[in-house]
């Protein structure tokens, strides 16, 4: 059956980078038998300008109806003056919660051609390919009770609750094991089970779910050691799975190992594999409208979409290979350009990827 994608370009560089990603989708539909249709809609600041809300009920309904969503980025200084309830970023939070997108996939991939961009030695990070699976809708960021209270002695005390139910751990475990089945079949679960009971249960549930994936090797690591290992020897990891707060920190740390924010895609998945796919970077207002932005993170988001929501691993591989080819050919947008490379615009990078796909 034909699959439906909702495309939400958003603000700033969003329309420019998504424009190149939909050219890739068009090429796969026209020349490689991909059975997909897509439609576009406004989100974020551009939606606010047209409808005085960053996410209309109609677009939310379209998102619920779609099989997957491709998003550019939202936000920019123009909308910062508005009340927080109608800021562009609210649209993303609402989409994530309404669609129950609890499983955040953040790959940290460093193409060998860009190994110099990392702050680590090239031999430590060249060809790095780690996938961080972060639980996105639970844990200490959402746990109750929370707040700031005044104690009997008059001192104020801040408090939050680190809480995970078995079902929440089970569903993120399945996301991690399924992702590992598409990769090197190794999952490292990151916790603090020596100190936090909540993560003692996390570890127990991870072990239980792993029995359903006998081909996948499960190991456990304390979060402090995981942070250390990520900067010491990051290539030891295949899939890392962890809770909301640890994942927040480790995924940014892993992304920075690659040194190139314009290269990294991400996915947020529900229990049925439906997902919202987007680059990890923002709307880059400083370069918006200049045809300078790197579209590769968004093009790689299409690859993730095909792999994780549509089961089209071979077509996803084709996109990944095309991106690697254009890097081999020396094409670089300004953010990843170094002397001796060929400096290209957003659209020229799109042209090069399409040529490599063909
Ligand atoms: P940013 O990621 O937009 O930009 C940080 C720096 O990286 C800028 O110098 C920018 O030019 C550069 N950059 C980012 N993406 C690039 C690309 N594809 N190619 C080349 N260079 C790129 O972060 P910011 O400046 O902190 O935020 C700008 C706006 O984006 C804010 O309104 C913020 O709220 C929003 N934002 C949105 C998302 C999202 O939509 N998911 C995520 C982060 C930030």
């Amino acid at each position: 059956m034909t699959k439906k994608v909702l495309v939400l370009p958003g603000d700033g560089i969003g329309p420019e980078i998504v424009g190149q990603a939909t050219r890739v989708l068009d090429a796969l539909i026209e020349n490689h038998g991909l059975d997909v249709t897509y439609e576009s809609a406004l989100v974020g600041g551009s939606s606010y300008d047209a409808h005085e809300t960053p996410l209309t009920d109609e677009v939310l309904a379209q998102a619920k109806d779609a099989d997957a969503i491709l998003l550019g980025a939202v936000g920019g200084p123009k909308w910062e003056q508005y009340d927080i309830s109608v800021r562009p970023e609210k649209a993303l939070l609402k989409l994530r919660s309404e669609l129950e997108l609890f499983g955040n996939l953040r790959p940290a991939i460093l193409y060998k051609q860009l190994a110099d961009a990392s702050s680590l030695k090239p031999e430590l990070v060249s060809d790095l390919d780690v996938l961080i699976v972060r639980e996105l809708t639970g844990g200490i960021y959402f746990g109750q009770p929370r707040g700031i209270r005044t104690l009997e002695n008059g001192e104020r005390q801040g408090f939050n609750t680190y809480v995970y139910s078995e079902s929440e751990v089970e569903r993120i475990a399945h996301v991690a094991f399924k992702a590992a089945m598409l990769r090197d079949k190794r999952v490292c679960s990151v916790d603090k089970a020596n100190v936090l009971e909540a993560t003692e249960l996390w570890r127990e549930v991870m072990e239980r779910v792993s029995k359903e994936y006998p081909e996948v090797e499960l190991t456990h690591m304390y979060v402090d050691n995981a942070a250390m290992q990520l900067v010491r020897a990051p290539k030891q990891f295949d899939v890392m799975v962890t809770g909301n707060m640890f994942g927040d920190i480790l995924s940014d740390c892993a992304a920075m190992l690659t040194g190139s924010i314009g290269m990294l895609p991400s996915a947020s998945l529900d229990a049925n594999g439906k997902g919202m796919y987007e680059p990890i970077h923002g709307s880059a207002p400083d370069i918006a409208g200049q045809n300078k932005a790197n579209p590769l993170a968004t093009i790689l988001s299409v690859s993730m979409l095909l792999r994780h929501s549509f089961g089209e691993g071979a077509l996803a591989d084709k996109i990944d290979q095309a991106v690697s080819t254009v890097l081999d050919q020396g094409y670089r947008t300004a953010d990843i350009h170094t002397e001796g490379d060929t400096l290209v615009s957003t659209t020229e990078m799109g042209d090069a990827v399409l040529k490599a796909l063909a």
Side-chain angles (χ1 to χ4, degrees):
M1 212 170 73
T2 306
K3 297 266 184 20
K4 276 189 284 192
V5 176
L6 178 65
V7 176
L8 301 172
D11 310 318
I13 59 170
E16 298 166 62
I17 52 178
V18 167
Q20 302 312 308
T22 52
R23 288 176 75 197
V24 168
L25 259 185
D26 290 337
L28 295 178
I29 293 167
E30 281 161 27
N31 307 323
H32 298 277
L34 178 65
D35 194 9
V36 161
T37 61
Y38 66 87
E39 54 182 349
S40 295
L42 295 177
V43 73
S46 54
S47 170
Y48 183 83
D49 289 348
H51 306 293
E52 293 190 358
T53 171
L55 182 70
T56 62
D57 291 342
E58 290 75 27
V59 174
L60 179 59
Q62 278 177 288
K64 287 183 175 170
D65 185 49
D67 298 300
I69 299 154
L70 178 67
L71 179 98
V74 300
K78 182 179 172 191
W79 301 283
E80 275 164 19
Q81 55 181 305
Y82 297 120
D83 186 73
I84 195 148
S85 62
V86 292
R87 293 245 187 98
E89 292 76 7
K90 271 281 163 199
L92 299 192
L93 297 179
K94 191 160 179 191
L95 280 167
R96 283 179 194 145
S97 65
E98 289 276 334
L99 302 180
E100 292 187 59
L101 304 175
F102 64 88
N104 189 219
L105 268 49
R106 289 265 304 254
I109 299 166
L110 181 54
Y111 292 88
K112 62 177 181 307
Q113 303 90 331
L114 301 178
D116 285 338
S118 175
S119 49
L120 294 192
K121 294 187 199 108
E123 63 268 27
L124 288 183
V125 285
S126 180
D127 281 329
L128 176 76
D129 183 1
V130 181
L131 177 67
I132 302 213
V133 178
R134 166 189 172 194
E135 201 290 326
L136 202 57
T137 55
I140 195 165
Y141 291 176
F142 293 90
Q144 295 288 348
R146 60 191 296 157
I148 299 172
R149 59 193 163 206
T150 304
L151 302 176
E152 275 175 14
N153 66 4
E155 190 187 1
R156 292 200 307 156
Q157 185 183 58
F159 61 101
N160 291 89
T161 305
Y162 194 126
V163 57
Y164 269 117
S165 58
E166 284 187 291
S167 58
E168 284 177 303
V169 184
E170 265 167 23
R171 65 183 190 172
I172 194 69
H174 283 293
V175 170
F177 286 111
K178 282 183 183 146
M181 288 296 289
L182 300 172
R183 299 170 48 98
D184 202 30
K185 300 189 174 65
R186 291 182 293 121
V187 170
C188 176
S189 170
V190 176
D191 61 38
K192 191 72 183 168
N194 51 343
V195 177
L196 300 173
E197 287 83 353
T199 68
E200 206 181 305
L201 180 70
W202 171 284
R203 190 177 276 220
E204 193 187 307
V205 176
M206 281 289 155
E207 280 291 337
R208 192 167 73 216
V209 174
S210 78
K211 306 278 184 286
E212 295 176 46
Y213 301 86
E215 288 175 61
V216 179
E217 177 198 272
L218 172 67
T219 54
H220 304 276
M221 197 176 272
Y222 297 138
V223 62
D224 43 347
N225 187 24
M228 195 170 76
Q229 294 300 331
L230 259 182
V231 290
R232 193 189 71 84
K235 286 198 269 187
Q236 68 184 283
F237 297 111
D238 179 29
V239 175
M240 299 174 92
V241 60
T242 189
N244 205 343
M245 180 169 61
F246 297 160
D248 190 6
I249 299 163
L250 292 181
S251 62
D252 268 15
C253 174
M256 282 307 106
L257 295 178
T258 74
S260 36
I261 194 172
M263 296 294 302
L264 296 177
S266 76
S268 303
L269 301 178
D270 77 0
N272 303 311
K274 171 172 171 167
M276 183 157 84
Y277 298 82
E278 56 184 306
I280 68 159
H281 59 71
S283 59
D286 52 333
I287 55 166
Q290 299 174 33
N291 200 20
K292 274 187 186 167
N294 186 345
L296 294 178
T298 319
I299 289 171
L300 290 167
S301 298
V302 174
S303 161
M304 284 192 87
L305 184 158
L306 296 179
R307 193 181 304 280
H308 294 281
S309 284
F310 293 173
E312 295 279 3
L315 290 182
D317 287 346
K318 256 187 196 310
I319 297 177
D320 296 350
Q321 186 52 51
V323 168
S324 189
T325 301
V326 301
L327 294 176
D328 274 339
Q329 292 165 337
Y331 296 120
R332 305 279 190 276
T333 42
D335 56 310
I336 51 173
H337 182 257
T338 50
E339 223 182 293
D341 300 325
T342 310
L343 179 65
V344 293
S345 64
T346 310
T347 42
E348 285 167 340
M349 186 59 104
D351 294 343
V353 172
L354 286 181
K355 206 166 152 216
L357 263 182

